[in-house]
Amino acid sequence: MELKDMSLETFASALASTEPTPGGGGAAALVGALSAALCSMAGGITLQSKRYAARKDSLSPILSRCEELRERLLELIDEDARLFLPLKAAYSMPKDDPDYGRTMENATLGACRAPLEMLRLCAELSGLLRRLSENCSPMLVSDVGCAAHCCRAAMECAAMNVFINTRSLLDRDKALKIENEVRSLLSENGAEATAVGEKIAEGLACKGHEAMLMCGAPVAAAADAETKKRAQRLGDTGVTPTIALVRVGSDPDAVYYEKSASERCERLGVAVRKVTLPQSASQTELMSAIRGLNIDAGVHGILLLLPLPERFDEKAACAEIAADKDVDGVSPGSAAGIYSGTGEGFAPCTAEACMMLLHHYGIPVSGAKAVVVGRSLIAGRPVSMLLTQEDATVTLCHSKTQRLAEVVREADIVIAAVGKGEFLGGDCFRAGQTVIDVGTNYDADGRLVGDVCFAQASRRVRAITPVPQGVGAVTAAVLAMHTVLAAERLTGKQK
Ligand code: NAP
């Protein structure tokens, strides 16, 4: 019985036996034939539907060629086994037989023939697959995807069955010519089959998939409600929680932030004291203003609006703020509190906003693998510490991190704080991840974008924050919340 006429069970038993045929070549031909058969099925069922009748002209020639390819590939199972026989015979010839070299060379060349033809046929099939994927019913596209991967597998397997022979050919020019053809078929047509399969898989996986959007607004609203309640309670005891907003000069970003922070605080019952120093003020004057606020019992929180004019030493000014009033977590005392977990001072509002988003949307942190991209003192580093405190296993990445996309893909939780617009593309993400995008960047069209390419990531991951309306919206609420907490601590009126 010919191998192609055997039942699958008999064929597989023959393959599993200790006989050298059928072997890898036969298996390659069978997988190629299965690929062609799947194409015939997908195209045939599509044509049965009246809805796709108009595609008859484009589909019919594909189908008839797929059938021819299937037939021929099945025949090659037996041909491959037959072509092995002379090689088997040559192996048992005495090496000193004057015909040994020529016989072996011819038999080896003959053994290349079947797998080489398989490769050529599958290469042709890969082109048909692409056309079929564009014309068949969407209900059958997964079968075409399977066919595409089978086609690629058949090509890879057939290639190995060529190479095992070409390597022992004495005619190296001929061997090289054959190997070059194989490589070219693999790199062009094999890659085409893979691309068809991957495109189909991508389309199927993404259809209907939308990541949960972790908007900042409900998180901020819940925080604001709690802040307002606690500010009221403090007010009932005669304490008005108060924040001092310290600004030097009139940098537009600082002025804008001052305005929005004041409005929010006042709306929630947190009084605002604006301390404005002229552009011409000295570092000493700024330090002395901060020191004054540190000892002012009527002030519970201090926010230094950044950036300061260039000639100022920002680090020194931040270091001057007393940790117990440092509501944006910029002082060394706050940093020590976060890193030691003692609770001294405050975490930077942005870092805390990331954690609040995770909590609000019910993302498990304990035991999760978290990857933080960016290690600044205001965002990446503190959030990595807060995650650690909540028992996540944290990897902190930066500009020298190798194979960043690979590392990010490993994470359950990704925090992006890089400061480069749409820097983390789709290749960094996979299904099941939660992505917090801290970035605020402007693209060439003046659009506000995050550090993550939202369009690509949101098609893959489980949950993601938008930009704008994500982390930034919560950060603003944290400032007022911290001020109330500072007032409670400083006056001994904790909840
Ligand atoms: P930053 O101080 O400039 O820090 C950027 C970090 O990204 C650095 O640690 C840097 O690594 C890392 N990085 C740069 N290129 C990288 C690369 N190719 N691969 C991996 N890491 C790379 O920025 P930031 O102050 O943390 O701010 C980050 C972003 O968050 C910005 O877009 C900012 O506007 C935004 N932000 C938003 C809020 C908010 O409330 N929404 C608040 C603060 C900041 P090195 O340390 O090796 O240089």
Side-chain angles (χ1 to χ4, degrees):
M1 193 196 284
E2 297 249 288
L3 290 165
K4 77 177 177 71
D5 296 324
M6 288 178 180
S7 72
L8 269 181
E9 154 57 18
T10 314
F11 182 81
S13 301
L15 207 55
S17 75
T18 51
E19 282 299 306
T21 56
L30 179 64
V31 174
L34 294 178
S35 172
L38 278 167
C39 291
S40 295
M41 182 269 271
I45 296 179
T46 302
L47 277 187
Q48 277 177 349
S49 161
K50 281 192 194 127
R51 196 188 308 180
Y52 301 108
R55 298 187 189 176
K56 187 161 189 274
D57 288 349
S58 49
L59 277 175
S60 295
I62 298 176
L63 290 194
S64 53
R65 187 58 188 148
C66 282
E67 276 304 278
E68 286 166 8
L69 292 176
R70 180 171 71 87
E71 272 302 311
R72 181 63 193 142
L73 281 159
L74 285 175
E75 285 168 6
L76 282 170
I77 300 176
D78 286 297
E79 267 184 49
D80 185 65
R82 270 195 297 274
L83 286 165
F84 181 71
L85 296 178
L87 195 56
K88 194 178 171 190
Y91 281 139
S92 52
M93 276 175 84
K95 293 226 174 25
D96 55 358
D97 187 317
D99 281 342
Y100 175 79
R102 188 178 46 82
T103 308
M104 185 57 104
E105 182 81 350
N106 285 341
T108 309
L109 202 54
C112 290
R113 221 180 293 144
L116 189 56
E117 187 179 346
M118 289 170 208
L119 261 161
R120 291 177 184 146
L121 297 177
C122 288
E124 187 186 343
L125 188 59
S126 74
L128 299 176
L129 271 161
R130 178 174 295 286
R131 285 163 57 199
L132 188 60
S133 71
E134 288 157 3
N135 283 288
C136 80
S137 153
M139 301 300 289
L140 294 149
V141 81
S142 64
D143 298 296
V144 181
C146 292
H149 287 298
C150 286
C151 179
R152 174 68 191 241
M155 290 182 82
E156 296 281 359
C157 299
M160 276 191 273
N161 280 277
V162 174
F163 292 149
I164 187 87
N165 292 304
T166 49
R167 69 172 182 165
S168 44
L169 279 178
L170 298 174
D171 183 342
R172 295 316 295 157
D173 286 346
K174 193 167 273 175
L176 197 63
K177 197 167 160 230
I178 295 171
E179 288 187 359
N180 281 343
E181 182 186 349
V182 170
R183 289 202 181 89
S184 145
L185 289 170
L186 273 182
S187 73
E188 284 174 30
N189 307 89
E192 182 178 30
T194 305
V196 170
E198 284 181 351
K199 190 170 171 206
I200 289 170
E202 178 92 346
L204 290 174
C206 295
K207 212 158 272 175
H209 174 78
E210 268 180 36
M212 173 173 75
L213 209 53
M214 299 168 75
C215 290
V219 188
D224 282 353
E226 175 71 10
T227 300
K228 196 171 178 179
K229 203 166 72 190
R230 284 162 63 176
Q232 181 97 53
R233 200 161 43 219
L234 278 170
D236 293 346
T237 66
V239 176
T240 305
T242 301
I243 183 168
L245 302 178
V246 183
R247 170 162 62 83
V248 182
S250 46
D251 174 88
D253 284 348
V255 171
Y256 174 80
Y257 193 62
E258 180 191 71
K259 184 169 179 287
S260 65
S262 306
E263 284 169 5
R264 183 176 221 121
C265 286
E266 281 164 355
R267 181 160 51 81
L268 301 176
V270 174
V272 174
R273 192 176 313 165
K274 288 183 186 165
V275 179
T276 311
L277 279 74
Q279 181 81 17
S280 57
S282 65
Q283 177 89 24
T284 316
E285 284 170 300
L286 174 61
M287 303 294 255
S288 125
I290 294 172
R291 275 196 290 273
L293 294 167
N294 281 344
I295 53 168
D296 185 334
V299 170
H300 309 104
I302 301 171
L303 176 74
L304 179 59
L305 290 150
L306 301 175
L308 293 173
E310 243 175 46
R311 70 204 148 75
F312 279 83
D313 181 346
E314 225 168 72
K315 208 169 154 196
C318 290
E320 199 59 40
I321 302 172
D324 51 7
K325 296 191 180 184
D326 176 24
V327 284
D328 198 22
V330 294
S331 69
S334 286
I338 302 168
Y339 297 122
S340 61
T342 56
E344 184 192 356
F346 293 87
C349 296
T350 307
E352 186 140 345
C354 295
M355 300 307 295
M356 285 165 67
L357 278 153
L358 292 172
H359 297 154
H360 182 92
Y361 287 98
I363 309 298
V365 176
S366 176
K369 231 187 238 181
V371 168
V372 180
V373 190
R375 57 177 166 183
S376 75
L377 290 174
I378 197 75
R381 238 181 269 212
V383 85
S384 73
M385 284 297 137
L386 296 179
L387 285 161
T388 305
Q389 265 168 37
E390 294 195 20
D391 301 322
T393 304
V394 184
T395 304
L396 184 57
C397 300
H398 45 76
S399 62
K400 306 291 184 297
T401 299
Q402 302 290 308
R403 297 186 305 280
L404 182 68
E406 220 174 278
V407 176
V408 174
R409 263 200 314 273
E410 283 285 302
D412 302 311
I413 297 170
V414 180
I415 312 278
V418 189
K420 291 185 175 167
E422 304 191 321
F423 175 69
L424 300 178
D427 61 327
C428 295
F429 301 102
R430 58 163 176 81
Q433 293 179 302
T434 297
V435 180
I436 307 282
D437 190 351
V438 177
T440 50
N441 317 280
Y442 289 93
D443 70 6
D445 302 324
R447 235 174 11 117
L448 183 61
V449 294
D451 290 343
V452 172
C453 178
F454 184 87
Q456 292 172 10
S458 62
R459 291 163 67 199
R460 296 178 181 219
V461 303
R462 169 183 164 203
I464 185 167
T465 57
V467 175
Q469 305 304 326
V471 176
V474 185
T475 303
V478 179
L479 188 69
M481 189 180 90
H482 278 177
T483 306
V484 168
L485 182 57
E488 288 171 349
R489 286 180 185 169
L490 286 163
T491 58
K493 294 188 169 127
Q494 273 104 323
K495 201 166 75 148

